[in-house]
Amino acid sequence: MTRRGRAAGALATGTAGLLLALGAAAPAQAAGYRYWSYWQADAGKWTYATQGPATDRPADGAAIGFRFALSEDSADATRPTAAPDFGAVCADVGKKAGTKRIAVVVDFGTPQDAPAGETPPKDSPTTGCARIAESGTGADALAAVAAPLRYDSAAMLCGIAGYPRTGCGEAVADPAPATGATASPGTSPAAAEEDGDGPSLGLLVGGGAVLALGAAAVWKSRRRA
């Protein structure tokens, strides 16, 4: 095996270990995590972003998307239902020196994915064309079209346009009852929140998935080289 192959293998192995460790820490019968996922346009389709909006710096003409949903992990994450169409979203916004235009799609998800006591503020995705500084990030573009935003103490994106009002990447328990227990009809799934001292487990699992994607990208690029 070449040095490059060994390096890629080590990165993938370390990522797998991280994912296994996080999975082991998940609550029993966890159905998934309720959070805002971040997406980028690729050949006219949405692809799960390999970095967060606070560090991603999309180019002029890019389209980015956000979707609130209950997902097991990045592979299970639900895409925004509106297409990443920069031409349509930014049709009336001309190019200007020193700035860039980013098409932003925000999908608030379904009532089934909403936290207890809340409903999505809109039934269909909202779109907007953000004009931001050339050095601006995906988070800057989002703030320009869908404020207010809410972050937790670890700078994780928790709410967009005031939704949801509380919570951030909670692990949601599977509604199926344990052996010998009886479920109450109509009972909604219980939400188990992580300690507020750091990122929630759901977002950490998402971070592990990002590392896995990065490992795969490194391996593929080195094979081509």
Side-chain angles (χ1 to χ4, degrees):
M1 181 183 292
T2 65
R3 183 188 305 175
R4 290 178 176 176
R6 288 193 298 271
L11 179 56
T13 300
T15 301
L18 173 61
L19 291 173
L20 287 172
L22 291 172
Q29 299 182 336
Y33 303 89
R34 187 180 284 118
Y35 67 102
W36 281 102
S37 56
Y38 180 47
W39 301 82
Q40 299 166 321
D42 182 16
K45 297 181 180 180
W46 290 120
T47 182
Y48 199 88
T50 58
Q51 58 182 311
T55 56
D56 180 35
R57 299 183 186 278
D60 179 72
I64 60 176
F66 299 82
R67 172 65 189 258
F68 188 79
L70 174 62
S71 306
E72 291 183 6
D73 51 36
S74 63
D76 177 61
T78 307
R79 292 172 173 79
T81 53
D85 191 341
F86 173 82
V89 175
C90 293
D92 299 327
V93 182
K95 193 166 184 177
K96 184 178 180 181
T99 67
K100 58 185 177 183
R101 301 156 300 160
I102 311 296
V104 181
V105 174
V106 178
D107 191 329
F108 296 95
T110 67
Q112 290 76 20
D113 289 331
E118 296 197 52
T119 56
K122 292 187 177 181
D123 295 331
S124 58
T126 183
T127 61
C129 186
R131 186 197 297 278
I132 59 176
E134 289 182 335
S135 61
T137 65
D140 294 329
L142 175 63
V145 302
L149 307 182
R150 180 171 59 84
Y151 293 87
D152 71 0
S153 59
M156 298 294 179
L157 179 63
C158 304
I160 297 177
Y163 180 76
R165 294 188 300 271
T166 62
C168 194
E170 304 93 339
V172 179
D174 192 319
T179 303
T182 302
S184 300
T187 301
S188 61
E193 295 191 14
E194 310 300 323
D195 292 336
D197 295 333
S200 64
L201 177 59
L203 293 172
L204 286 173
V205 170
V210 166
L211 290 176
L213 291 170
V218 169
W219 179 72
K220 288 179 180 178
S221 66
R222 287 176 173 173
R223 283 194 65 189
R224 288 195 295 269

